mmCIF file of all heavy atoms in Angstrom:
data_model
loop_
_atom_site.group_PDB
_atom_site.id
_atom_site.type_symbol
_atom_site.label_atom_id
_atom_site.label_comp_id
_atom_site.label_asym_id
_atom_site.label_seq_id
_atom_site.Cartn_x
_atom_site.Cartn_y
_atom_site.Cartn_z
ATOM 1 N N TRP H 144 61.519 39.811 -34.079
ATOM 2 C CA TRP H 144 60.290 40.501 -34.488
ATOM 3 C C TRP H 144 60.127 40.578 -35.997
ATOM 4 O O TRP H 144 59.011 40.602 -36.499
ATOM 5 C CB TRP H 144 60.258 41.923 -33.900
ATOM 6 C CG TRP H 144 60.463 41.939 -32.423
ATOM 7 C CD1 TRP H 144 61.479 42.519 -31.744
ATOM 8 C CD2 TRP H 144 59.630 41.318 -31.425
ATOM 9 N NE1 TRP H 144 61.352 42.305 -30.392
ATOM 10 C CE2 TRP H 144 60.236 41.574 -30.163
ATOM 11 C CE3 TRP H 144 58.453 40.565 -31.465
ATOM 12 C CZ2 TRP H 144 59.690 41.106 -28.966
ATOM 13 C CZ3 TRP H 144 57.919 40.103 -30.279
ATOM 14 C CH2 TRP H 144 58.529 40.379 -29.052
ATOM 15 N N SER H 145 61.237 40.605 -36.734
ATOM 16 C CA SER H 145 61.130 40.713 -38.188
ATOM 17 C C SER H 145 60.491 39.469 -38.793
ATOM 18 O O SER H 145 60.013 39.502 -39.913
ATOM 19 C CB SER H 145 62.513 40.931 -38.802
ATOM 20 O OG SER H 145 63.345 39.836 -38.501
ATOM 21 N N GLU H 146 60.506 38.364 -38.072
ATOM 22 C CA GLU H 146 59.895 37.124 -38.559
ATOM 23 C C GLU H 146 58.767 36.680 -37.625
ATOM 24 O O GLU H 146 58.545 35.494 -37.419
ATOM 25 C CB GLU H 146 60.966 36.038 -38.698
ATOM 26 C CG GLU H 146 61.834 36.229 -39.942
ATOM 27 C CD GLU H 146 61.025 36.085 -41.240
ATOM 28 O OE1 GLU H 146 60.308 35.092 -41.399
ATOM 29 O OE2 GLU H 146 61.104 37.001 -42.081
ATOM 30 N N GLN H 147 58.090 37.663 -37.059
ATOM 31 C CA GLN H 147 56.995 37.385 -36.125
ATOM 32 C C GLN H 147 55.790 38.225 -36.503
ATOM 33 O O GLN H 147 55.782 39.402 -36.180
ATOM 34 C CB GLN H 147 57.484 37.685 -34.707
ATOM 35 C CG GLN H 147 56.599 37.262 -33.586
ATOM 36 C CD GLN H 147 56.392 35.784 -33.495
ATOM 37 O OE1 GLN H 147 55.582 35.249 -34.260
ATOM 38 N NE2 GLN H 147 57.084 35.108 -32.603
ATOM 39 N N PRO H 148 54.763 37.701 -37.206
ATOM 40 C CA PRO H 148 54.680 36.334 -37.726
ATOM 41 C C PRO H 148 55.650 36.097 -38.880
ATOM 42 O O PRO H 148 56.096 37.063 -39.500
ATOM 43 C CB PRO H 148 53.221 36.224 -38.198
ATOM 44 C CG PRO H 148 52.662 37.596 -38.208
ATOM 45 C CD PRO H 148 53.570 38.491 -37.478
ATOM 46 N N PRO H 149 55.955 34.830 -39.162
ATOM 47 C CA PRO H 149 57.002 34.525 -40.145
ATOM 48 C C PRO H 149 56.627 34.894 -41.579
ATOM 49 O O PRO H 149 55.452 34.918 -41.931
ATOM 50 C CB PRO H 149 57.187 33.005 -40.033
ATOM 51 C CG PRO H 149 56.321 32.537 -38.944
ATOM 52 C CD PRO H 149 55.373 33.621 -38.555
ATOM 53 N N SER H 150 57.641 35.168 -42.373
ATOM 54 C CA SER H 150 57.469 35.359 -43.813
ATOM 55 C C SER H 150 57.090 34.022 -44.445
ATOM 56 O O SER H 150 57.506 32.969 -43.980
ATOM 57 C CB SER H 150 58.785 35.809 -44.456
ATOM 58 O OG SER H 150 59.204 37.048 -43.954
ATOM 59 N N ARG H 151 56.280 34.109 -45.517
ATOM 60 C CA ARG H 151 56.076 32.928 -46.353
ATOM 61 C C ARG H 151 57.013 33.072 -47.541
ATOM 62 O O ARG H 151 56.929 34.073 -48.263
ATOM 63 C CB ARG H 151 54.635 32.859 -46.875
ATOM 64 C CG ARG H 151 53.628 32.264 -45.901
ATOM 65 C CD ARG H 151 52.995 33.250 -44.966
ATOM 66 N NE ARG H 151 52.416 34.416 -45.634
ATOM 67 C CZ ARG H 151 51.628 35.299 -45.043
ATOM 68 N NH1 ARG H 151 51.323 35.181 -43.773
ATOM 69 N NH2 ARG H 151 51.160 36.329 -45.700
ATOM 70 N N THR H 152 57.917 32.116 -47.717
ATOM 71 C CA THR H 152 58.859 32.225 -48.830
ATOM 72 C C THR H 152 58.668 31.066 -49.809
ATOM 73 O O THR H 152 58.169 29.993 -49.437
ATOM 74 C CB THR H 152 60.326 32.205 -48.358
ATOM 75 O OG1 THR H 152 60.640 30.922 -47.815
ATOM 76 C CG2 THR H 152 60.598 33.294 -47.342
ATOM 77 N N ARG H 153 59.046 31.311 -51.033
ATOM 78 C CA ARG H 153 59.088 30.268 -52.058
ATOM 79 C C ARG H 153 60.319 30.529 -52.906
ATOM 80 O O ARG H 153 60.475 31.627 -53.458
ATOM 81 C CB ARG H 153 57.806 30.342 -52.921
ATOM 82 C CG ARG H 153 57.408 29.039 -53.580
ATOM 83 C CD ARG H 153 57.084 27.934 -52.614
ATOM 84 N NE ARG H 153 56.009 28.267 -51.689
ATOM 85 C CZ ARG H 153 55.805 27.640 -50.523
ATOM 86 N NH1 ARG H 153 56.589 26.668 -50.152
ATOM 87 N NH2 ARG H 153 54.807 28.001 -49.736
ATOM 88 N N HIS H 154 61.193 29.547 -52.965
ATOM 89 C CA HIS H 154 62.410 29.653 -53.773
ATOM 90 C C HIS H 154 62.181 28.912 -55.085
ATOM 91 O O HIS H 154 61.901 27.706 -55.067
ATOM 92 C CB HIS H 154 63.601 29.016 -53.057
ATOM 93 C CG HIS H 154 64.074 29.788 -51.856
ATOM 94 N ND1 HIS H 154 63.353 29.869 -50.692
ATOM 95 C CD2 HIS H 154 65.216 30.507 -51.650
ATOM 96 C CE1 HIS H 154 64.028 30.609 -49.809
ATOM 97 N NE2 HIS H 154 65.161 31.014 -50.370
ATOM 98 N N TYR H 155 62.291 29.615 -56.207
ATOM 99 C CA TYR H 155 62.163 28.986 -57.519
ATOM 100 C C TYR H 155 63.567 28.866 -58.105
ATOM 101 O O TYR H 155 64.144 29.873 -58.509
ATOM 102 C CB TYR H 155 61.255 29.822 -58.424
ATOM 103 C CG TYR H 155 59.842 29.908 -57.891
ATOM 104 C CD1 TYR H 155 59.468 30.880 -56.965
ATOM 105 C CD2 TYR H 155 58.881 28.981 -58.301
ATOM 106 C CE1 TYR H 155 58.183 30.939 -56.451
ATOM 107 C CE2 TYR H 155 57.579 29.036 -57.790
ATOM 108 C CZ TYR H 155 57.240 30.010 -56.871
ATOM 109 O OH TYR H 155 55.966 30.068 -56.365
ATOM 110 N N VAL H 156 64.127 27.667 -58.076
ATOM 111 C CA VAL H 156 65.511 27.451 -58.502
ATOM 112 C C VAL H 156 65.500 26.837 -59.900
ATOM 113 O O VAL H 156 64.912 25.775 -60.108
ATOM 114 C CB VAL H 156 66.258 26.526 -57.508
ATOM 115 C CG1 VAL H 156 67.693 26.292 -57.962
ATOM 116 C CG2 VAL H 156 66.232 27.129 -56.107
ATOM 117 N N THR H 157 66.100 27.541 -60.854
ATOM 118 C CA THR H 157 66.070 27.083 -62.249
ATOM 119 C C THR H 157 67.447 27.241 -62.900
ATOM 120 O O THR H 157 68.385 27.736 -62.267
ATOM 121 C CB THR H 157 65.061 27.902 -63.094
ATOM 122 O OG1 THR H 157 65.573 29.237 -63.211
ATOM 123 C CG2 THR H 157 63.686 27.940 -62.471
#
Side-chain angles (χ1 to χ4, degrees):
Chain H
W144 307 117
S145 61
E146 283 296 309
Q147 190 63 281
S150 297
R151 277 88 52 169
T152 67
R153 206 62 58 200
H154 290 70
Y155 297 86
V156 179
T157 68

